[in-house]
């Protein structure tokens, strides 16, 4: 039993030629895009500007189009994340800020706090946990 090959040599050659032509057309389109780019305003084509233009074009080609609803949700998520990050960072730094202020306003002739640890202990003993966050408003 003799089997015939799936594709003849001429068919493979035709496919290869069509593939090469489509690549050539794509390359010509890219060059036309590059020449219209503001990076080529002075007429010079450098490797850096070519790379930048191709990278820019790749971003446009791979970017997905998002529905307007997703944009609103994305903005809301960013706002919430920023608010939470700001609150956490401010709460983490508040005890040190309070201690800094106490050390700055004490009488230099008779200091009440001799250092950080002593000042933090004093705040804890006299005002408790909430004392660390006084003025953090």
């Amino acid at each position: 039993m003799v089997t015939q090959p799936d594709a003849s040599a001429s068919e493979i050659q035709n496919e290869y030629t069509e593939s090469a032509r489509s690549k050539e057309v794509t390359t010509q389109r890219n060059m036309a895009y590059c020449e219209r780019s503001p990076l080529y305003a002075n007429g010079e084509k450098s490797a850096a500007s070519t790379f930048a233009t191709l990278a820019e074009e790749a971003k446009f080609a791979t970017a997905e189009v998002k529905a307007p609803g997703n944009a609103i949700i994305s903005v809301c998520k960013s706002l919430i994340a920023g608010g939470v990050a700001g609150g956490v960072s401010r709460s983490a730094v508040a005890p040190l800020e309070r201690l800094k202020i106490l050390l700055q306003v004490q009488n230099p002739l008779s200091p009440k706090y001799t250092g950080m640890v002593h000042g933090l202990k004093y705040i804890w003993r006299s005002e408790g946990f909430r004392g660390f966050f006084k003025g953090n408003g």
Side-chain angles (χ1 to χ4, degrees), residues 117-132:
V117 175
H118 186 255
L120 291 172
K121 284 181 182 178
Y122 175 81
I123 294 170
W124 180 261
R125 274 186 267 132
S126 64
E127 301 175 32
F129 182 73
R130 292 186 69 183
F132 289 120

Side-chain angles (χ1 to χ4, degrees), residues 24-41 43-45 48-63:
E24 186 177 320
V25 169
T26 303
T27 303
Q28 289 173 354
R29 286 183 187 156
N30 289 342
M31 289 303 294
Y33 173 78
C34 290
E35 289 171 358
R36 290 191 313 265
S37 172
L39 296 172
Y40 295 117
E44 296 178 12
K45 295 181 182 179
S49 62
T50 302
F51 180 75
T53 305
L54 291 175
E56 200 174 312
E57 185 179 354
K59 287 179 191 175
F60 290 132
T62 59

